[in-house]
Amino acid sequence: MGKLLIVGTMAFDAIETPFGKTGRILGGAGTFIGLAASQFKIDSAIVSVVGDDFPQSYMDILKNKDIDLSGVEVVKGGKTFFWEGKYHNDLNSRDTLATELNTLADFNPVVPNDYTGADIVMLGNLHPNIQLSVINQMEKRPKLIVLDTMNFWMDNTWDELMAVISKIDVITINDEEARQMTNEYSLVKAAAKIQEMGPKYVVIKKGEHGALLFHKDNIFFAPALPLEEVFDPTGAGDTFAGGFSGYLTEAGNISFESMKNAIIHGSNLASFCVERFGTERMVDLEKSEVDARLVQFKELTQFNIELT
Amino acid sequence: MGKLLIVGTMAFDAIETPFGKTGRILGGAGTFIGLAASQFKIDSAIVSVVGDDFPQSYMDILKNKDIDLSGVEVVKGGKTFFWEGKYHNDLNSRDTLATELNTLADFNPVVPNDYTGADIVMLGNLHPNIQLSVINQMEKRPKLIVLDTMNFWMDNTWDELMAVISKIDVITINDEEARQMTNEYSLVKAAAKIQEMGPKYVVIKKGEHGALLFHKDNIFFAPALPLEEVFDPTGAGDTFAGGFSGYLTEAGNISFESMKNAIIHGSNLASFCVERFGTERMVDLEKSEVDARLVQFKELTQFNIELT
């Protein structure tokens, strides 16, 4: 089986949307990526850090998905990373009310021996130096390194971000961030400029407006599934990344055609994530539900025009 | 051959975008719809009104596409409808600088005898009473009536709009207008509510984010082709409508599957329209260019996931 190494936060989230408010619930990029990737027949491991306030029940949720947690450091007396946010009425924007780095501030990732030869590495949104450290621990060059990042690192750690970006294959980034990164409004031009920075594949996430994959002159687009209601967008981008990297790990094929399917699988899984608070929908998500929605994705996008 | 009856303005437009500024050039919903529909093997006619300031050379552009202009009234001593607008930097919004209705103010549409039995009627954005008058002149119920409208008519002629909407099959409307019309933020819910108002098919245009087709529980989505540069969005929605109705007229098939293709053809033609000012790109557009871009649309959206 293919091996996927995931690096990302495991966290407490407190979320408010127009539909309600949570207490401290399970969150974090690593968590969402891991849950999404667990839908595929792969071996996976998460590298992360938590405090000893992180409940065993949360660990068990991931363990029960057969995710290797030997790379999750539990800091004695430490507190787990905490994020609190409130979404605006359209759910397209949010205010961060609190960010407590806690144990994340001194996070020194250690890749488990079993995963230094992983086929694919999925670097969740984190300080670029942490992402780079993981790459440097790999015994051999993975078949594919995927990196997610955000505007915060562009604003505060540009040089470090450029250093890690030069070493990866696929970057996932949202549309506004792609524009900020390149000073190009056109996403076609932005994607071309980002490819010059290193990654041969650029995935631009447009939230409810879908996602674009760019590689040289090739472009592929997947819509977000139109839903009656988006309940909570938290983790949608990470779930997308988990579906994307999980599918490619199972497929063992990183061609552009295979990446198209990966984009669809990522979008499909993200459509479940946003239906409930946090990880709620993902924890018990069944293959039959995932497959049924893939059929919807086909009906949504596939047409039959024969060209003569 | 199938017959398409088009109702819509023929106009002078003056346009400013971040890329430049035009004088008074050829514009109008009827013009854009007619040019797009002329890409298909159909008989078509435009019902419209102009003043005698409307140049013969503009008439000839449409005549050379074999569009029947016997339903275009030329008002002696009258002036042609004029619109002037300036787009903001992101090209997603614009300010209207001038609207001179002129001959359009007293427009009394007359459907040519040859077209009172048309297969499909495409009602471009106009006062709903004008749209209704055209429907009432049809000798037999057309196979399909498509209507385009905008927020101006919702704000000022709600009852008249509802009267005509109850008699049509397909409405095309943009996302903000769909929300305004229904007080629903979710486009899935908005489309369901609009179907209760009459049209069995709802097309929601999202500009650079593509277009959605709703019919009962069926949804289809077509992206806009990602372009390096959108030069001038004027007429893109009308071009989409012309491609949509033109394709269906040629196909002679108004099933949901056929409408999927129509949405793709509409999106494809609109991707050309925005590449130059006004109708410039559409006037000499060749079938080979259109077909080549349809291939791009397939590559952009089609994938191959087999479900077991």
Side-chain angles (χ1 to χ4, degrees), chain B residues 114-126:
Chain B
D114 279 358
Y115 278 83
T116 55
D119 301 290
I120 296 187
V121 175
M122 176 68 233
L123 303 166
N125 172 42
L126 272 172

Side-chain angles (χ1 to χ4, degrees), chain B residues 122-291:
Chain B
M122 176 68 233
L123 303 166
N125 172 42
L126 272 172
H127 192 299
N129 284 350
I130 296 177
Q131 296 175 316
L132 186 61
S133 160
V134 168
I135 295 177
N136 288 337
Q137 290 176 55
M138 300 307 285
E139 250 170 38
K140 55 163 192 167
R141 177 64 164 78
K143 275 202 290 193
L144 198 74
I145 304 178
V146 186
L147 176 142
D148 186 47
T149 191
M150 68 184 293
N151 52 0
F152 180 83
W153 308 114
M154 296 178 206
D155 295 337
N156 297 291
T157 60
W158 177 263
D159 292 345
E160 295 90 333
L161 183 62
M162 286 303 113
V164 67
I165 277 181
S166 72
K167 295 180 185 298
I168 62 159
D169 304 299
V170 185
I171 187 171
T172 70
I173 190 172
N174 79 29
D175 46 357
E176 282 321 306
E177 290 158 354
R179 288 175 172 135
Q180 178 183 340
M181 201 165 175
T182 58
N183 273 316
E184 292 286 354
Y185 182 79
S186 155
L187 296 179
V188 176
K189 289 186 179 174
K193 275 201 181 174
I194 295 171
Q195 286 178 65
E196 287 170 15
M197 298 172 184
K200 296 180 289 294
Y201 300 86
V202 177
V203 176
I204 298 183
K205 299 173 289 181
K206 302 199 296 173
E208 63 165 329
H209 298 304
L212 286 155
L213 167 66
F214 295 89
H215 171 59
K216 295 180 184 165
D217 288 338
N218 302 305
I219 313 180
F220 180 68
F221 175 81
L225 197 75
L227 296 170
E228 287 225 350
E229 208 82 82
V230 171
F231 189 82
D232 171 21
T234 309
D238 301 315
T239 300
F240 173 87
F244 179 80
S245 54
Y247 171 79
L248 291 174
T249 305
E250 179 181 306
N253 175 347
I254 56 167
S255 67
F256 190 78
E257 288 304 311
S258 184
M259 282 196 198
K260 288 182 175 184
N261 290 354
I263 294 274
I264 294 291
H265 280 283
S267 300
N268 189 42
L269 290 169
S271 78
F272 289 102
C273 178
V274 302
E275 290 184 332
R276 305 250 184 90
F277 272 129
T279 61
E280 215 177 302
R281 187 72 175 90
M282 302 308 291
V283 168
D284 298 316
L285 184 61
E286 305 213 356
K287 184 168 169 20
S288 58
E289 297 177 286
V290 175
D291 285 353

Side-chain angles (χ1 to χ4, degrees), chain A residues 76-231:
Chain A
K76 278 215 169 162
K79 288 175 73 182
T80 300
F81 173 54
F82 171 65
W83 176 79
E84 185 174 5
K86 182 178 172 170
Y87 287 88
H88 301 157
N89 275 337
D90 66 2
L91 291 172
N92 281 328
S93 53
R94 68 186 186 191
D95 295 325
T96 290
L97 304 180
T99 308
E100 297 171 12
L101 288 181
N102 299 328
T103 52
L104 198 62
D106 304 307
F107 178 34
N108 211 338
V110 178
V111 177
N113 282 337
D114 277 0
Y115 278 83
T116 54
D119 300 289
I120 296 188
V121 175
M122 176 68 233
L123 302 166
N125 173 41
L126 271 173
H127 193 299
N129 284 351
I130 296 177
Q131 297 175 317
L132 187 61
S133 157
V134 168
I135 294 176
N136 288 337
Q137 291 176 53
M138 300 307 287
E139 249 170 42
K140 54 164 191 168
R141 177 66 165 77
K143 276 203 289 195
L144 198 75
I145 303 177
V146 186
L147 175 144
D148 187 46
T149 190
M150 68 183 295
N151 52 2
F152 181 83
W153 308 114
M154 296 177 205
D155 295 336
N156 297 292
T157 58
W158 177 262
D159 292 344
E160 295 89 334
L161 183 61
M162 286 304 113
V164 66
I165 277 180
S166 72
K167 294 181 185 297
I168 62 160
D169 304 299
V170 186
I171 186 170
T172 72
I173 190 171
N174 79 29
D175 44 0
E176 283 321 306
E177 290 158 355
R179 288 175 172 135
Q180 177 183 339
M181 200 164 173
T182 59
N183 273 317
E184 291 286 354
Y185 182 80
S186 156
L187 296 179
V188 176
K189 288 187 179 173
K193 274 201 181 174
I194 295 172
Q195 286 176 65
E196 288 170 13
M197 298 173 186
K200 295 179 289 295
Y201 299 86
V202 176
V203 176
I204 298 183
K205 301 173 287 181
K206 302 198 297 171
E208 62 165 330
H209 298 303
L212 286 156
L213 167 67
F214 295 87
H215 172 60
K216 295 181 184 165
D217 288 337
N218 301 306
I219 313 181
F220 180 69
F221 174 82
L225 197 75
L227 296 170
E228 288 224 350
E229 209 83 82
V230 171
F231 190 81

